[in-house]
Amino acid sequence: MTPATGAAGGEPPVSEAVAERLADTMFALSSPSRVRIMGLLLAGPRSVTDLTNALGMEQSAVSHQLRVLREHDLVRAEKTGRRRLYALSDEHVSTLLHAALHHAGLTERPAGARQQPDGLGTVAW
Amino acid sequence: MTPATGAAGGEPPVSEAVAERLADTMFALSSPSRVRIMGLLLAGPRSVTDLTNALGMEQSAVSHQLRVLREHDLVRAEKTGRRRLYALSDEHVSTLLHAALHHAGLTERPAGARQQPDGLGTVAW
DNA sequence: ACAATACATGAAGAATCATTCATCCTTTAA
DNA sequence: TTAAAGGATGAATGATTCTTCATGTATTGT
C-alpha cells in the first residue's frame, strides 16, 4: 500500500481528540447567524437587544445562538444591570476570525461582488 | 437604543454574503471526519484507499466527505491511473488549517492531555 | 406592588447531515 | 474478455440543527 504517496506510518498527524475539538470550534462558526454575530462583536461589545436589532432576527434565536458561541468559548457575557454585554472572549478569537474572513474574502468570487474587495466593512483591528 | 455600547450605524461590519461564505467554509471543517482527512492531507497527498485505511472508516463514507471538501475548494483530486490522489487545494488552506489547529491546541484542555502540547503529530510545515 | 424591559430556556417541527448499503463506472491485470 | 481494484454516487435512516412560539426569571421604573 501507499506506493508513492508518502509516509503512512503510525500515529495520525492530527489526533482524533484534536480533530474533534477543532471540528467543534469550527462548528460554532458554521452558521451564518453566528458568523454575523461574531462580525458585529468584532466592532465591540453588544447587548442582546443590539444584536437582535442589527441582525433582524428574533431575540430568542439570537439568545440561542449566543449560547452556542458561549459554550464554545468564543464569546463571553458580562451582565450590567438587566442587560448582558456580549464580547469576543479574547483577542485570540478575533485573530482566528480575521484569518477566516481573509480566507473567505480571497476564495471563489460569486461573480457579482459589489462589496469591499474582501467583504469587510469598517473593521477596527 | 445602544446607550453606551459603541457605534451601531448603517452597514454591517461583515456583510451577510461574506458571513454565508465563511460559515460555509467553516462548515466543511465542522466534522471530525473531515478534519481528520485534512489532517492526513497536511502531511502530503493521499489516495482514497490510503485515507480509508488510516481513518478506519468505510470507503463510501470517505468519498462522501471528500466530496464535501472538494465542493468547498479545500481539497483537489488528481487522477493517476485508477486511483485519485487527494491533496489540500492550496497552501492558503493549510495556513488556515494550521491557524485553526493552533487555536484548538490552545483553548480549554480536556484535563487529560497526553498528546503533544498542541496535539499535533509530526507535521511538515 | 405593578408593569415593563432584557434575556434565557424548553418544546416542537422542518430541514440538514453523516453514515451505511447497494450499485455503477473506469482502469488495470490475467 | 473477464475479473478485480479504486472510487463515486443514490437512496435510506437516525441523529443534529436552526428557528419559532410560549413561557419563565431577574432587574429597573413608577
Side-chain angles (χ1 to χ4, degrees), chain A residues 5 7 13 21 45-46 83 104 107 121, chain B residues 3 5 7 13 21 45-46 104 107 121:
Chain A
T5 323
R21 290 246 311 272
R46 295 281 185 273
R83 59 187 63 174
T107 56
Chain B
T5 323
R21 290 246 312 272
R46 295 282 185 271
T107 57

Side-chain angles (χ1 to χ4, degrees), chain A residues 41-115:
Chain A
L41 295 184
L42 216 44
R46 295 281 185 273
S47 73
V48 177
T49 308
D50 283 350
L51 294 172
T52 299
N53 294 333
L55 294 171
M57 23 188 316
E58 296 223 346
Q59 175 266 316
S60 171
V62 174
S63 275
H64 277 300
Q65 303 301 355
L66 280 173
R67 169 137 93 139
V68 174
L69 293 173
R70 229 189 303 136
E71 288 172 342
H72 287 265
D73 285 310
L74 290 177
V75 305
R76 268 183 337 180
E78 184 192 350
K79 64 172 301 185
T80 79
R82 60 180 153 185
R83 59 187 63 174
R84 263 173 241 285
L85 255 290
Y86 276 87
L88 300 187
S89 103
D90 59 33
E91 68 223 39
H92 194 218
V93 168
S94 87
T95 297
L96 178 60
L97 240 190
H98 273 114
L101 280 169
H102 183 234
H103 175 89
L106 290 182
T107 56
E108 52 169 353
R109 38 257 157 109
R114 77 199 55 161
Q115 205 81 14

Side-chain angles (χ1 to χ4, degrees), chain B:
Chain B
M1 300 175 185
T2 317
T5 323
E11 7 67 63
V14 172
S15 74
E16 189 157 359
V18 167
E20 209 149 339
R21 290 246 312 272
L22 180 42
D24 219 49
T25 297
M26 291 316 199
F27 163 78
L29 296 175
S30 72
S31 116
S33 314
R34 288 192 294 265
V35 170
R36 288 172 67 204
I37 291 177
M38 296 295 281
L40 288 169
L41 295 184
L42 217 44
R46 295 282 185 271
S47 72
V48 177
T49 308
D50 283 349
L51 295 172
T52 299
N53 293 333
L55 295 172
M57 18 187 323
E58 296 222 347
Q59 175 266 315
S60 171
V62 175
S63 275
H64 277 299
Q65 303 301 356
L66 280 173
R67 168 138 92 140
V68 174
L69 293 174
R70 229 188 303 136
E71 289 172 341
H72 288 264
D73 286 310
L74 290 177
V75 305
R76 269 184 336 182
E78 183 193 350
K79 63 173 301 187
T80 77
R82 61 180 153 184
R83 60 187 63 175
R84 265 174 239 288
L85 256 290
Y86 276 87
L88 299 186
S89 103
D90 58 34
E91 68 222 40
H92 193 220
V93 168
S94 87
T95 297
L96 178 59
L97 240 190
H98 273 113
L101 279 170
H102 183 233
H103 174 89
L106 290 184
T107 57
E108 52 168 355
R109 39 257 156 109
R114 76 200 55 162
Q115 205 82 14
Q116 295 291 66
D118 59 349
L120 295 176
T122 325
V123 175
W125 282 73

